[in-house]
Amino acid sequence: MVALARKTLIYEWRRFLPAVVAVGFAGLLQLLQVALVLGIFGSAAVYITGSSGDLWAGYPGTQSVNLGRSIDAGVEMRLRMDPDVTAVEPFHWVDADWRGPNDTGGVSVFVSGINARPDGMMFAHALPLALRARLNEPDAVIVDKADLEGLGVGVGDSAVINGHRVRVVGVSSGLRALGGVNVVASLATASTLDTDPSNSSRMTYFVAKLRNPAEADQVAARLRGNTAFGSYDVWTARDFARRSQLYWIFDTGAGAGVLFLAGIVFLVGVVITSQTLVAAVIGSIREYATLNALGVGVGALRKVVMEQAFWVGALGLLGSAVLGVLALALARSRSVPVALGPWATVACLSLCMGLAIVSGLAAMRSLRRADPATLLR
């Protein structure tokens, strides 16, 4: 029966081709949708994932890194007092208004004030050392190369942030943020761009490096709750990145829209694939009736249909995987934020294989017409 299923699929491939295409495009849509979601919402945590710090100290209850509030500078001393902490550096966040050289209108930007030294932790994975050193120049800023057009500047051009003139000294990749344009500057430059005088002695976050990163959870728990240094909380980099991403996915309502769209894609794929398999079964109903007359049971015929559904799903997934690799490569070359891990890939492909199996179950109902008596009509 298994050999019959494969031979039928090969001999009558024109009947099954629409089902393969339906499964393939459903899988491709799922893969690209998940990759875009993970890439776009993953950029909400680019400040954390692009840095080498193990702990983040910030205002209690902060839901996402871009929603931070300033904390007392004494928190830095509390972090340095812990024997497991080897380095601490501040991170100054400034909500600002950008105006290009032609003053064509304001653009909301996030200024990231970081330590520009070679051993700095902030954006250690995104800024080469030579480019990082250029932040020591007066009023120097760095932006993501994909944001140049939106900001209306090029490398070497000047712009105005919060009424203060700055100069773009370089560009990098991996700096794009969710909800606004990320502009990287030194701590000194960020202080001059901050128009809130109350932040002169306060910082938005403090990032800490540990002697043993595996003990980050224990150290974070030990550092919490000391009100002598003001109101603050401590998170591991992994937990804070996940918190930021989950906030944008679920608390903003975007996650519900994504899940709804995924359900629609699955439903449409099931309908198209099942109808195609049903048509293929009906087209071969006389052959199935002949097999039934020769003593082949309905259960064995059902196995043939399910085997065909399995191969339809496998071929469709193979096509979606190939097209998905090409589409993701094209997206990355165009600076489109996409990210797809192995577990997400397996989940998408498993969902599409389930689509084919459900379609096969729907097509099995057509075997009720495989009555040997139909051969006499």
Side-chain angles (χ1 to χ4, degrees):
M1 290 297 100
V2 171
L4 177 62
R6 290 198 299 265
K7 289 180 179 179
T8 304
L9 197 64
I10 296 173
Y11 183 75
E12 299 184 353
W13 62 271
R14 291 179 181 85
R15 289 184 179 178
F16 295 95
L17 181 60
V20 174
V21 173
V23 173
F25 272 99
L28 180 62
L29 286 175
Q30 295 284 4
L31 286 172
L32 295 182
Q33 181 177 258
V34 171
L36 283 171
V37 168
L38 295 178
I40 292 173
F41 292 112
S43 63
V46 67
Y47 309 93
I48 307 167
T49 57
S51 304
S52 60
D54 300 312
L55 296 180
W56 283 66
Y59 196 83
T62 301
Q63 296 175 295
S64 177
V65 64
N66 65 302
L67 300 178
R69 298 167 59 182
S70 60
I71 57 177
D72 194 270
V75 176
E76 180 179 6
M77 185 58 63
R78 173 65 186 95
L79 297 176
R80 292 186 181 277
M81 290 169 57
D82 193 282
D84 290 321
V85 176
T86 58
V88 179
E89 68 179 49
F91 176 40
H92 194 170
W93 178 286
V94 181
D95 291 320
D97 177 75
W98 172 289
R99 295 186 179 274
N102 298 324
D103 197 17
T104 55
V107 178
S108 296
V109 298
F110 305 140
V111 177
S112 299
I114 67 171
N115 183 352
R117 294 183 307 184
D119 59 348
M121 290 179 279
M122 287 302 304
F123 296 114
H125 305 315
L127 292 179
L129 293 180
L131 185 59
R132 189 184 195 92
R134 302 202 64 181
L135 289 176
N136 291 312
E137 301 176 13
D139 303 324
V141 298
I142 297 172
V143 298
D144 193 281
K145 64 179 181 180
D147 293 324
L148 283 176
E149 183 177 353
L151 295 174
V153 294
V155 177
D157 291 344
S158 296
V160 176
I161 299 180
N162 286 352
H164 189 90
R165 185 165 296 278
V166 297
R167 186 168 61 90
V168 180
V169 296
V171 295
S172 183
S173 299
L175 297 176
R176 299 194 79 178
L178 184 62
V181 177
N182 185 27
V183 177
V184 182
S186 66
L187 287 169
T189 301
S191 298
T192 62
L193 301 177
D194 194 345
T195 57
D196 188 353
S198 63
N199 292 333
S200 58
S201 61
R202 300 169 67 88
M203 285 291 167
T204 315
Y205 297 102
F206 288 99
V207 184
K209 190 75 172 176
L210 298 182
R211 182 172 289 103
N212 184 7
E215 298 179 356
D217 291 321
Q218 296 88 330
V219 177
R222 185 168 65 239
L223 291 171
R224 294 190 187 106
N226 194 330
T227 57
F229 295 87
S231 182
Y232 72 97
D233 200 355
V234 180
W235 311 275
T236 65
R238 182 185 65 255
D239 291 342
F240 197 30
R242 185 185 301 114
R243 174 192 287 248
S244 299
Q245 293 167 353
L246 292 179
Y247 168 79
W248 280 97
I249 293 175
F250 295 109
D251 291 357
T252 62
V258 171
L259 293 177
F260 177 77
L261 183 59
I264 293 296
V265 170
F266 182 81
L267 180 62
V268 171
V270 167
V271 171
I272 296 176
T273 308
S274 62
Q275 292 303 308
T276 304
L277 289 177
V278 167
V281 171
I282 293 177
S284 305
I285 200 67
R286 292 183 65 84
E287 288 79 1
Y288 286 123
T290 301
L291 290 173
N292 195 4
L294 292 174
V296 178
V298 176
L301 295 178
R302 288 174 177 171
K303 291 181 180 179
V304 172
V305 174
M306 292 307 299
E307 177 74 12
Q308 291 172 342
F310 171 80
W311 284 111
V312 165
L315 293 174
L317 293 184
L318 179 61
S320 63
V322 173
L323 292 177
V325 170
L326 296 177
L328 292 178
L330 177 62
R332 290 192 176 97
S333 67
R334 300 290 181 177
S335 299
V336 177
V338 290
L340 192 63
W343 289 110
T345 303
V346 170
C348 290
L349 298 181
S350 300
L351 183 63
C352 290
M353 179 57 75
L355 182 154
I357 298 301
V358 171
S359 301
L361 293 174
M364 282 197 308
R365 295 179 301 174
S366 302
L367 290 176
R368 291 177 295 183
R369 304 181 185 181
D371 190 346
T374 59
L375 299 174
L376 302 176
R377 296 174 186 172

